[in-house]
DNA sequence: GTGAAAGCGCTAACAT
DNA sequence: ATGTTAGCGCTTTCAC
């Protein structure tokens, strides 16, 4: 692979001139510059990123730490980050903690060696660790907020609150909330939003726990939801709701006639399930895009005061919710 | 951030000794080494990856180029790669081409600056380009094979062939194949397997095109599938099959009574759709894992002759296929 | 077994 | 406008 020296020799100039021509182009004769660029092109020269990083202290890369790339939720966030970063000329490093918060410190440490900044999508990481990393490198948090650190999150409390308001308007008085993993920060916000709204509307909110936010877990919890005697079930996420809905219908329960069901995320396309699932649109990809933008701003100006963005999320009403049975 | 110099000073040795202690540990007094390691730990020293890369010519990173991180299919592949690479101590660089083959050269070029090897998940990239990149950097291909380049792929032809055999055993004589995007290499293999099996079993195979492998496209194509007069429909992937199934059932068509439907990938969990979708299990994550392993082997020994691995895939029979109507 | 010193490819003063 | 040179943090001969 050609180096800057090869180009310099071939073009008959010094490496400094090559460097200038390649970069801004300031303080170089236009003609010289043209010539250098041309030579570089014919030699198929590509600046060595590592070397440039060493010299400038800027790697031109951002790192993303997340629990599971294969999970569509995180996949969408990653897509948002990656595309936005690429457009701004940044490379993207990804580390997958396999949903194991214990491995995160190690991964984050290795990541930070190669990047200028970090995007943390780590719902289960302790706040202290978040602070530690954010001191080492410019950091932005996704779907969670910690004081003093840049972050973007969906307002899950507001989303759930609005959702429950909808449900209340339909006349439901006994609502079951099927929660996700208890350590998740998102779960806390969702519960808070629901509790507040339940109080406001005089709703009796019954909480059931599920160990993981999956379709299978939803199926498994369906009977418990029915047994609660509630007329509506709100679930931690769409997969869980999907599972509940599938199972209760198998049991001959009319949805929404006898049980209304709602989820969170809006990850199911129109028509994928019948009736369509009422849910809250979570804007994952957008969070990724915004996070990348925030990180870039911070990298350009470290003195910025911490920014935080909370995205409103909208309730999407479909056929799985209806009036409470008389 | 502590550098090797800081550690050397703190430990009272030279940077050379620190370097030796940190790496193999050969030619260092055991006691000295212990001491150095300890000081390094207390200083929270992390070797600068870029600097090490410059000095050794090895970056310790692999690059992954794929069309869309948010697509569950590629997400699974990426998860496989990432986890395997991480375990081997490699960092993972990802580039997302947004399903735009035109942008791939640029991305691949930038990628290759920072990585020791490349994993290409690029179904639409021309063979010539694949060869170009593979000459620049050790490369392994996922879900596609090009002569002389390492690669791992699912035997889509075999999978589809087995699937069609199943369908033939159920008595179907007129089968419609709903294809995916025409440029996809995977599509070619699938078609080949189907055509061969159709001939073997004396089946009349009718091909319909769909522009994208999505749920919505499946719905849109449903009417055409019905109009073909076939008693069974095999689809390019599960999403497409799901779309077709949903739509035809809305139209009052009995599945599998009047129309049997099958997909490819096995991306839907048991119970997610009713009836369960007959499909072919595609082993995406496994491809990723294998790809990472191949790449590491190649990086260790460039003289290896090109390796290729083709994974058999199994038909998963569920309720969406049944005997042909009399 | 350990240290001194020469780079790896590049940028950024500083000269000219 | 261009060339010279000193590093960036690390590995790796080569002496000692």
């Amino acid at each position: 692979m050609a180096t800057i020296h090869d180009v310099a020799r071939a073009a008959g100039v010094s490496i400094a001139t090559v460097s200038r021509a390649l970069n801004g182009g300031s303080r170089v004769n236009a003609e010289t510059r043209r010539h250098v660029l041309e030579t570089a092109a014919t030699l198929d020269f590509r600046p060595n990123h590592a070397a440039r990083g060493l010299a400038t202290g800027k790697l031109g890369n951002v790192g993303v730490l997340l629990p599971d790339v294969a999970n569509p939720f995180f996949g969408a966030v990653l897509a948002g980050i990656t595309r936005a970063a690429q457009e701004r000329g940044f490379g993207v490093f990804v580390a997958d903690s396999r949903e194991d918060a214990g491995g995160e410190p190690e991964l984050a440490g290795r990541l930070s060696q190669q990047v200028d900044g970090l995007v943390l999508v780590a719902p289960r990481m302790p706040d202290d660790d978040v602070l530690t990393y954010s001191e080492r490198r410019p950091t932005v948090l996704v779907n969670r907020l910690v004081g003093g650190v840049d972050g973007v999150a969906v307002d899950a409390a507001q989303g759930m609150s609005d959702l429950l308001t909808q449900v209340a308007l339909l006349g439901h008085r006994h609502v079951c909330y099927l929660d996700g993993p208890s350590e998740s920060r998102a779960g806390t916000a969702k519960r808070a939003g629901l509790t507040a709204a339940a109080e406001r509307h005089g709703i009796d909110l019954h909480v059931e726990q599920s160990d993981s936010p999956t379709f299978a877990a939803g199926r498994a919890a369906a009977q418990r939801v029915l047994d609660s005697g509630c007329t509506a079930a709100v679930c931690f996420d769409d997969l869980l709701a999907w599972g509940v809905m599938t199972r209760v219908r198998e049991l001959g329960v009319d949805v929404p006639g006898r049980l209304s069901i709602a989820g969170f995320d809006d990850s199911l396309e129109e028509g994928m399930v019948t009736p369509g699932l009422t849910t809250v649109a979570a804007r994952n990809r957008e969070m990724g895009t915004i996070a990348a933008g925030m990180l870039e701003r911070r990298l350009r100006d470290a003195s910025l005061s911490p920014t935080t963005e909370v995205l409103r999320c909208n309730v999407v009403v479909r056929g799985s919710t209806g009036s409470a049975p008389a």
Side-chain angles (χ1 to χ4, degrees), chain A residues 158-193:
Chain A
Q158 164 263 318
M160 277 302 198
S161 167
D162 287 5
L163 176 61
L164 193 56
T165 300
Q166 277 289 339
V167 171
L169 288 176
L170 291 167
H172 296 270
R173 286 295 160 256
H174 300 275
V175 177
C176 176
Y177 172 52
L178 181 57
D179 201 6
S182 51
E183 330 84 61
S184 165
R185 311 273 153 173
T188 313
K190 289 178 186 176
R191 246 176 288 122

Side-chain angles (χ1 to χ4, degrees), chain A residues 287-311:
Chain A
M287 280 198 283
T289 310
I290 293 176
M294 281 184 159
L295 187 50
E296 197 221 359
R297 229 174 310 138
R298 157 108 312 141
L299 289 174
R300 262 210 304 261
D301 181 1
S303 70
L304 251 42
S305 58
T307 317
T308 247
E309 198 155 332
V310 176
L311 306 180

Side-chain angles (χ1 to χ4, degrees), chain A residues 5-316:
Chain A
H5 289 99
D6 300 326
V7 178
R9 198 176 319 115
V13 297
S14 78
I15 61 165
T17 301
V18 176
S19 177
R20 287 192 203 100
L22 257 32
N23 302 317
S26 63
R27 311 178 6 97
V28 205
N29 182 298
E31 177 54 28
T32 316
R33 180 181 145 100
R34 209 194 45 65
H35 179 219
V36 170
L37 258 28
E38 196 172 281
T39 331
T42 62
L43 258 47
D44 191 29
F45 166 82
R46 315 241 170 196
N48 180 317
H49 218 91
R52 185 188 299 226
L54 236 203
T56 58
K58 259 85 202 61
L59 283 319
N61 294 145
V62 305
V64 183
L65 176 64
L66 40 68
D68 180 10
V69 233
N71 178 323
F73 182 94
F74 301 120
V77 175
L78 181 60
I81 298 173
T82 308
R83 293 172 181 194
Q86 276 173 187
E87 273 170 12
R88 295 172 159 79
F90 282 89
V92 177
F93 263 103
V94 25
D96 181 316
S97 72
R98 299 164 167 260
E99 301 272 10
D100 168 24
E104 286 174 348
E106 165 64 11
L107 286 174
R110 274 165 42 184
L111 251 193
S112 38
Q113 289 319 301
Q114 332 211 42
V115 302
D116 299 325
L118 232 42
V119 178
L120 255 30
V121 195
R124 280 132 123 155
M125 181 184 285
D127 281 7
D128 284 357
D129 289 356
V130 169
L131 289 169
T132 307
Y133 301 135
S134 72
E135 274 159 24
R136 230 199 310 269
R137 291 259 181 260
T139 297
V140 22
L141 267 23
V142 170
N143 216 17
R144 118 174 237 185
L145 265 18
V146 170
V149 183
D150 289 343
V152 51
V154 127
D155 192 345
Q158 164 263 318
M160 277 302 198
S161 167
D162 287 5
L163 176 61
L164 193 56
T165 300
Q166 277 289 339
V167 171
L169 288 176
L170 291 167
H172 296 270
R173 286 295 160 256
H174 300 275
V175 177
C176 176
Y177 172 52
L178 181 57
D179 201 6
S182 51
E183 330 84 61
S184 165
R185 311 273 153 173
T188 313
K190 289 178 186 176
R191 246 176 288 122
L194 287 170
T195 311
E199 203 153 309
R200 227 167 27 243
H201 301 292
I203 282 183
D204 164 40
L205 188 71
H206 174 90
V207 178
E208 282 288 336
Q209 203 71 36
S210 82
D211 31 301
S212 68
T214 59
F215 177 79
R219 283 185 68 100
Q223 189 60 58
R224 277 184 288 140
V225 171
L226 286 176
D227 291 347
S228 74
C230 296
T231 58
V234 171
C235 303
F236 177 84
D237 75 0
D238 283 350
L239 278 177
L240 226 30
W242 188 6
V244 171
M245 182 152 92
T246 306
R247 183 68 191 133
V248 300
R249 294 189 76 208
E250 280 173 20
L251 295 171
V253 173
D254 180 31
V255 176
R258 160 138 153 47
L259 182 71
S260 284
I261 300 182
F264 195 103
D265 274 356
D266 195 21
S267 55
L268 295 176
E269 264 172 65
E270 202 71 50
M272 280 187 169
V273 293
T274 312
L277 184 65
T278 293
T279 188
V280 177
R283 307 167 72 182
N284 303 323
R285 181 173 299 220
E286 206 177 337
M287 280 198 283
T289 310
I290 293 176
M294 281 184 159
L295 187 50
E296 197 221 359
R297 229 174 310 138
R298 157 108 312 141
L299 289 174
R300 262 210 304 261
D301 181 1
S303 70
L304 251 42
S305 58
T307 317
T308 247
E309 198 155 332
V310 176
L311 306 180
R312 275 195 69 79
C313 39
N314 294 320
V315 174
V316 181

